[in-house]
Amino acid sequence: IAHGVPMLALPFSTDQFDGAAAIEASGIGSANDPNCLTTTHVADAVRRLITAPSPKLPMLAQAIAARPGPTVARDALATLTTA
């Protein structure tokens, strides 16, 4: 997503299911049950994702590039230490 590429999510446990559902609901990727996948399912899902990517992806990639993870984490820690 950070590079403007849709995500094929294969959640295995706990919070991964919520994350995968959010990815699919937002239209920036596809969530699939890894326990039921076949090579045909994967090929079809990838084909769908690259044939019709979400127009949201470039905007999200720019937003992530403007504020990468380490910057967000550092800012959050700075907020905690100044409080």
Side-chain angles (χ1 to χ4, degrees), residues 47-74:
R47 193 173 296 109
R48 279 191 309 273
L49 290 171
I50 62 175
T51 302
S54 170
K56 298 176 187 178
L57 284 168
M59 179 188 64
L60 285 171
Q62 287 178 343
I64 291 168
R67 197 151 160 75
T71 302
V72 173
R74 184 184 67 239

Side-chain angles (χ1 to χ4, degrees), residues 1-9 19 22-24 26-30 56-65:
I1 294 169
H3 295 282
V5 177
M7 179 181 286
L8 176 59
I23 288 165
E24 186 161 284
S26 69
I28 60 171
S30 175
K56 298 176 187 178
L57 284 168
M59 179 188 64
L60 285 171
Q62 287 178 343
I64 291 168

